[in-house]
Amino acid sequence: MTEPIYNPQDNFRRILTRNVSLPLGMGALSAALFFGLIFFLLSTLNWVDRTQHVINKANEVSKLPVEMSAGMRGFLITGDENFLQPYDVAKARLDGELDALIQLVSDNPAQVDRLKRIGELQSQWNEFAQKGIEVRRNKQEFQEAIRAGLGKRLTDETRREFRGFITTEQSLLQERTEDARSTTVWIIVGYLVFTLGVSGLLAFFGRRELLRLSETYDVALKRQADDAEVLQEVAWLRSGQTRLAEQMIGQQALAPLGRSSLDFLAHYLGVAVAALYVREDTGSLRRIAAYGFSKDNEDRPQSFYSAEGLIGQAALENRVLQLDDLPDSYLTISSGLGQTAPRHVLIVP
């Protein structure tokens, strides 16, 4: 089963796209939530203003029966028609003001019924008041009707209904204000939690993928460095082959050809001591060139049978032999500055 190919470029594009698109999406969502919150607050404020307007209107309307009662009482006591002017003005306004209040609270049937009850009570009081006024104008006895207490009962009942109406509206005002405050707080808290959560997830996954991307690039760079090293070694090898071929041009005799080749290889490979052997027709190995040898060792001829010694074994098996940590007595490298023992020996067929 083949392993899926991981493409860092596609992964980088995905990370870049996500880190661009998600902030844009968050910005659009933030704008939508902001406008939604503003719309909700404006709607709530509209309800609050409307309720406050209803309360103010109810307070104004509730004063009209009081003005009517005061005007009628002044007329009954003094008989002066001027006391009836506030009575007539309030009476003319009352029905219209009650209808306006009913329109304002038309979405609340209980409040509408209460206003209609107030209107009925006020109609009964108006009949009572009109009879009292007519009796006073005719200079007849009106005290008995006042003592019966019908007018007071109607007035008290009207006041109770108005107080109940206003109390209900004040409760609605407080409830709507609390709902607006609570909803606003929860929306803000929810938005902050959502924003922080998305930001945290984005940071977590982004960091994980960036680390993975970094590791991938590290592997790619290491592979590139390894490939560059291999290419460098290949170039080094080919350059050596080319230069070795140049050294061998024009050399026909075996001894100078071997000497020229060995000198080049010693310099190119950076070795201190080297020897070159060729296979004779008899199968033995004969040294034809030396590098770094003393005069005595270089003049002394040396040959091996096919499988004799390490040189013969390497030639017979056609494989490279590398010797490390050589003993001090194995070979001595001499120069004008002194002598030393080699650390490595390489035998190449």
Side-chain angles (χ1 to χ4, degrees), residues 267-312:
H267 284 92
Y268 198 74
L269 298 176
V271 299
V273 178
L276 181 63
Y277 297 81
V278 297
R279 187 183 296 277
E280 299 286 357
D281 294 337
T282 60
S284 62
L285 297 171
R286 180 172 60 88
R287 189 180 69 196
I288 61 169
Y291 179 87
F293 277 36
S294 64
K295 181 64 175 173
D296 295 338
N297 289 333
E298 188 173 356
D299 292 339
R300 185 184 306 128
Q302 186 179 19
S303 62
F304 296 94
Y305 290 107
S306 181
E308 184 181 0
L310 294 175
I311 295 176

Side-chain angles (χ1 to χ4, degrees), residues 48 51 65 101 120 133 167 224 234 245 274 307 309 312 329 340 349:
V48 170
T51 305
L101 267 178
E120 294 173 358
I133 291 172
T167 300
Q224 184 179 5
V234 171
S329 59
T340 185

Side-chain angles (χ1 to χ4, degrees), residues 272-273 292 331-335 338-343:
V273 178
L331 179 66
T332 300
I333 302 175
S334 302
S335 69
Q339 295 179 345
T340 185
R343 289 180 295 174

Side-chain angles (χ1 to χ4, degrees), residues 45-54 103-107:
L45 288 175
N46 183 43
W47 278 105
V48 170
D49 290 342
R50 180 180 174 182
T51 305
Q52 188 64 53
H53 177 63
V54 170
Q103 292 298 323
L104 288 175
V105 296
S106 59
D107 59 327

Side-chain angles (χ1 to χ4, degrees), residues 32-45:
L33 289 176
F34 176 77
F35 283 113
L37 179 61
I38 294 299
F39 179 78
F40 171 76
L41 291 177
L42 289 177
S43 176
T44 303
L45 288 175

